[in-house]
Amino acid sequence: MTGMPHILLADPAPDRGDLAARLRARGVGCTVSRGLHSAMVQAAMRNPDLIVADLDTPGGCGAELRHSLTQAAHFRHTPFLSIGEGGDLAAGTPTERVLEHILECVAGRTPDYAPQPQAHAPAGPRQVAAPNTPLEELLMRLGAEPTATTITVVGPDGAVGEVLVRDGRPFHAVTVDGLWGPEALEAMRGWSDARVEPGQPPRAEAPHTLAEPPPAELADPTPADQAAVLHLLAELESVGVLRKVSP
């Protein structure tokens, strides 16, 4: 494969929240996923050159994701990098070192790729790490108890989105400008000084775009379930993962 490499970044820890943006600034495509279901779907859709799983994220899917991908012949030779306790890079590895290691990996995978030079900010007061965003802090609090709520997130310049939470875990995210799933959640996590407002529990028919839905009794699929499956199948077909055949 040649051209711009693409990375799937699974469950980035809060202190590496800017890693995806820094990779893109160096000329690398990067998709962020949260949870095993989202990671598997994104892997199928994006066919990444490298998969990076952050084991420092509580409840992260790194170990299970690696095992699941080795069961699929298509991904058996896709490089996989884990960060954190017991991973390929040790817990506490500075983000700068993680970034450079990833760039080294993708450079060996895509010979035509040359990392973009790192942009240097003008000299000025030393920057300190930004605290967790209001959304991140709220999700961490909700994760400690079986909460069901719809979070309205109001960001800068009129940006608005929603994060749906069930059993303390976000399972769907959407913004008014058309982002949904992991991309929407990643965008809202980066909104500084955002206002977050928990509200009513999510509707039963709300789609799952961030995490695998909880197990349930076998039943006929709802129209919303059917629509979500058809949408996913159409996306997989559009990127060549699935192909229609005549019966």
Side-chain angles (χ1 to χ4, degrees):
M1 183 178 293
T2 59
M4 176 186 288
H6 198 98
I7 293 172
L8 173 62
L9 178 58
D11 299 322
D15 61 351
R16 277 188 280 273
D18 64 341
L19 181 56
R22 295 179 68 177
L23 284 166
R24 294 175 189 133
R26 301 294 294 275
V28 177
C30 185
T31 297
V32 176
S33 66
R34 300 276 175 180
L36 179 63
H37 175 76
S38 174
M40 292 297 293
V41 170
Q42 293 297 334
M45 292 175 59
R46 311 294 182 183
N47 194 26
D49 298 281
L50 173 68
I51 297 172
V52 180
D54 200 330
L55 305 181
D56 285 342
T57 301
C61 69
E64 192 174 0
L65 174 61
R66 185 173 228 163
H67 174 75
S68 298
L69 290 174
T70 59
Q71 306 307 303
H74 181 79
F75 293 106
R76 284 177 188 163
H77 301 293
T78 301
F80 191 103
L81 175 68
S82 54
I83 311 166
E85 187 68 32
D88 303 304
L89 293 177
T93 300
T95 298
E96 187 64 35
R97 176 59 191 136
V98 172
L99 174 68
E100 295 303 324
H101 190 86
I102 290 174
L103 293 176
E104 292 169 8
C105 290
V106 296
R109 176 80 171 169
T110 52
D112 289 353
Y113 165 71
Q116 297 293 321
Q118 185 170 359
H120 294 283
R126 183 178 178 181
Q127 299 293 317
V128 297
N132 288 338
T133 63
L135 176 59
E136 190 73 45
E137 293 177 348
L138 178 58
L139 289 176
M140 292 176 66
R141 292 200 305 270
L142 295 178
E145 55 188 64
T147 307
T149 184
T150 297
I151 304 173
T152 299
V153 186
V154 181
D157 301 323
V160 180
E162 283 188 346
V163 179
L164 276 56
V165 176
R166 185 175 290 134
D167 295 326
R169 297 183 61 186
F171 68 91
H172 177 54
V174 63
T175 64
V176 295
D177 58 357
L179 297 178
W180 61 278
E183 288 79 6
L185 185 59
E186 180 190 4
M188 286 184 279
R189 286 177 187 271
W191 292 351
S192 59
D193 300 323
R195 187 173 77 252
V196 293
E197 300 174 352
Q200 297 296 317
R203 301 181 302 276
E205 66 272 17
H208 289 76
T209 61
L210 295 173
E212 190 172 1
E217 298 276 338
L218 289 177
D220 293 334
T222 66
D225 291 334
Q226 294 175 333
V229 170
L230 290 175
H231 179 76
L232 175 56
L233 291 176
E235 286 201 2
L236 294 176
E237 182 186 354
S238 70
V239 296
V241 175
L242 297 180
R243 184 180 61 181
K244 287 185 178 180
V245 296
S246 301

